[in-house]
Amino acid sequence: MDTAPPARLPTLDDVAERAGVSRSVASRAINNVGNVSAPKRAAVQRAVRELGYVPNPSARALATNRVGAVVLAVATDVPGIFADAFFAQVIYGISVALEPTDFTLTLVLAGRPEGRDKLRQIVRSRRADGIMLMNLHGDDPLVGLAEQTTVPVVFGGRPLRGEPRWYVDTDNRGGARLATEHLVEAGYRRIATITGPLSLEVAEARYRGFRDAMAVAQLPAERVEHADFSEAGGAAAMTRLLQAHPDLDAVFAASDNMAAGALRILRAHGRAVPGDVGVVGFDDLQTAQHTDPQLTTVHQPIGALGAEMTRMLLSILDGAQPTPLILPNRLVVRGSTRPAAHG
C-alpha cells in the first residue's frame, strides 16, 4: 500500500518568496526586530498565515537574543499557593498579557533553599528573559538576587526593605485607611484589626493605613492581633481579640480570608454582624460575596496587578525604562457593616 510522503513544513524562504521580500526582511518582520516598512511587514504576516509557517524556536532565540520565557517566582513553600484565589487571579492576568506574545510562563516556588537555587540556575543559565517576584518576606535573599542579576526583575508588591527599580503594587495603605474610615463613619468606635504577617510589606502597609485612620479619628489603635492571611488564622486571631477586648465593636481584617474566619467566630460567640460588630476585609475575592452577611471590603485589581507586572517586564525587554506603578483601590460596601452616617 502506497503512502504519501509527509507534507513539507513551510520555511522562512517560502515566507519570503510568498511575501515578495528578502529572507532577512522576512526574518526581521517575524521576530519584530529592526526596521521593516508597514507594507512589507503586512505582506510577511499575510504569508505566515497563508502558509501556516511556525518559527523555529532556536532560530528565533538567535535572531532576537531571547529565549522566549519569563518566570513568576513566589517566595513561598506552600504547594497550594497557586490554588489560592489571589494568586489564581494574578496568574490569569499574567497569562492574558502574555497571550499576544511568544513568551511562555514558568512558575517557581522560591520559599525554600531548593526553590531559590532553581531560580538562581535559571538566571545563571539565561533560561529566562525576565523575572517577576512576589510575596517577599523581610530580608528575603531573592532581593539580593534581583540586585545582582542583569536579567530584568519586576516586583509584584514592594519588598519590606529597599526600593526596587521596577515594581507594580496596589495602594495598600490607602485602602486600609478607607476601610477604617468607613467603620468610623458608620459609628463604630472600639475598632480592632487583624494584620497579615508583618514581615510582608503588604501587611505592614495595611497596618499603617489602619493606624493612620485611627489617629485622625483620635481613637486608640491597641486592639491588634496578627495572623497569616488565611481563614484559619483570621479565626484564631478573632478568638484572641474577643478574649482580650470583649467590648470591641468592629474589626478591620487585612484580607477577605481572615475576615471570613473572623465572621465565623463572631457568629459562634453570638455577636450579630453588623449590629454588634462591623467587619471589613481586603481584596474583594469571591469569598467576600459568599459570607453571611456579604463582606464589606477593599477591592484591589488583582488581575490587573498580574497584567501590569507583565506589561512592565515586556516593556523593559523592548528597551523602555518604566517607572513604578501603584494601582488604586476602592471600598465596596456590603452587609457586614452599618451604613456610614454622613452629615
Side-chain angles (χ1 to χ4, degrees):
M1 179 177 174
D2 293 334
T3 57
R8 183 178 68 86
L9 294 175
T11 65
L12 181 60
D13 289 321
D14 296 329
V15 172
E17 182 179 353
R18 174 69 66 93
V21 299
S22 68
R23 190 177 193 278
S24 62
V25 168
S27 175
R28 293 200 304 273
I30 290 169
N31 293 305
N32 199 29
V33 294
N35 294 321
V36 180
S37 68
K40 289 182 178 179
R41 189 179 300 278
V44 171
Q45 292 171 346
R46 186 166 56 251
V48 167
R49 289 194 302 272
E50 292 172 353
L51 294 171
Y53 172 73
V54 178
N56 179 283
S58 299
R60 169 162 283 192
L62 288 171
T64 62
N65 199 29
R66 294 178 182 174
V67 296
V70 295
V71 171
L72 172 63
V74 183
T76 183
D77 57 0
V78 180
I81 190 69
F82 296 119
D84 179 275
F86 176 87
F87 284 101
Q89 289 188 43
V90 169
I91 293 170
Y92 176 76
I94 292 172
S95 300
V96 169
L98 286 177
E99 276 177 2
T101 76
D102 292 321
F103 287 96
T104 58
L105 176 64
T106 300
L107 303 176
V108 176
L109 294 180
R112 294 163 57 91
E114 295 85 353
R116 290 192 289 271
D117 287 344
K118 180 178 182 180
L119 184 61
R120 290 190 185 96
Q121 290 169 8
I122 290 172
V123 169
R124 280 197 298 265
S125 59
R126 301 292 297 196
R127 299 204 308 271
D129 298 298
I131 298 169
M132 293 171 279
L133 288 181
M134 296 193 73
N135 205 48
L136 299 184
H137 291 254
D139 295 319
D140 195 297
L142 292 182
V143 176
L145 173 66
E147 292 171 348
Q148 296 161 12
T149 182
T150 58
V151 175
V153 178
V154 172
F155 287 77
R158 286 162 289 184
L160 188 62
R161 295 174 182 84
E163 186 78 3
R165 185 176 182 184
W166 297 303
Y167 64 83
V168 179
D169 205 352
T170 64
D171 185 8
N172 291 295
R173 186 172 184 173
R177 191 165 55 243
L178 280 176
T180 310
E181 287 171 350
H182 171 71
L183 288 170
V184 172
E185 291 167 0
Y188 300 104
R189 290 295 177 268
R190 298 178 300 279
I191 305 170
T193 188
I194 300 173
T195 80
L198 296 184
S199 59
L200 284 171
E201 202 280 337
V202 58
E204 177 63 37
R206 292 177 189 179
Y207 185 33
R208 288 197 302 269
F210 167 77
R211 298 200 307 269
D212 291 344
M214 294 294 279
V216 169
Q218 297 183 323
L219 294 173
E222 78 273 2
R223 298 177 182 89
V224 181
E225 283 292 341
H226 308 293
D228 59 358
F229 285 137
S230 73
E231 182 173 342
M238 189 72 249
T239 300
R240 295 193 298 271
L241 279 172
L242 287 174
Q243 291 170 347
H245 308 282
D247 65 334
L248 66 82
D249 66 357
V251 180
F252 163 55
S255 79
D256 289 346
N257 288 332
M258 293 194 300
L263 284 172
R264 177 161 52 84
I265 295 302
L266 288 167
R267 185 182 302 110
H269 282 75
R271 303 294 181 94
V273 177
D276 297 332
V277 181
V279 179
V280 180
F282 203 117
D283 290 329
D284 199 18
L285 303 175
Q286 283 295 315
T287 302
Q289 298 181 48
H290 295 154
T291 56
D292 182 19
Q294 290 188 340
L295 190 62
T296 295
T297 186
V298 177
H299 175 89
Q300 62 167 336
I302 302 170
L305 176 67
E308 293 299 339
M309 287 166 53
T310 309
R311 293 188 186 109
M312 181 175 287
L313 183 58
L314 294 176
S315 73
I316 297 165
L317 293 175
D318 284 338
Q321 296 295 322
T323 56
L325 178 62
I326 305 293
L327 301 173
N329 297 318
R330 58 183 171 84
L331 185 71
V332 179
V333 179
R334 297 193 180 99
S336 65
T337 55
R338 297 194 294 256
H342 295 290

